Amino acid sequence: MSFEPGKPPSLAISGNDSLGEKVQKWASGARVVKAFNTVGNPLFYKPQLPGGPPDMFIAGNDAAAKKTVSDICRDFGWGVIDIGGIDGSRYLEAMCMTWVLHGVLSGSWNHAFKMLHK
């Protein structure tokens, strides 16, 4: 994120790249999974919200690593939404900004996303 006085936070990297993709390139042998960036740390473990458990969105190139992260998320009390490869980090980082801007405007940081299906 980028912070400028008098302005809301913004994405430091956007468009056709993301910090998640940069980490994957910098640590090319690592099994990088983007997760836990769309919620504040007080809700990481066993979030208790009126609408039920929220969903954790994840992105990464390695199926085994995503399974491990998914298992951790579920053990922590989250639903899991896999959005594909590490290039999905660009959308999760934008979702983070949505989460942050809501927190700034509402003055509350106890919110999370949930995917609803019909």
Side-chain angles (χ1 to χ4, degrees), residues 5-75:
K7 294 183 179 181
S10 63
L11 288 173
I13 300 169
S14 65
N16 294 322
D17 204 357
S18 67
L19 187 55
E21 290 169 281
K22 287 188 178 293
V23 169
Q24 183 66 76
K25 288 175 191 160
W26 293 332
S28 60
R31 301 183 313 153
V32 176
V33 178
K34 184 80 165 188
F36 288 100
N37 79 304
T38 57
V39 68
N41 65 335
L43 294 178
F44 277 10
Y45 185 73
K46 303 289 183 184
Q48 300 296 312
L49 297 168
D55 289 317
M56 183 59 62
F57 294 81
I58 68 168
N61 294 341
D62 185 277
K66 287 199 297 186
K67 182 185 180 324
T68 298
V69 171
S70 295
D71 291 345
I72 291 167
C73 290
R74 288 186 190 97
D75 288 347

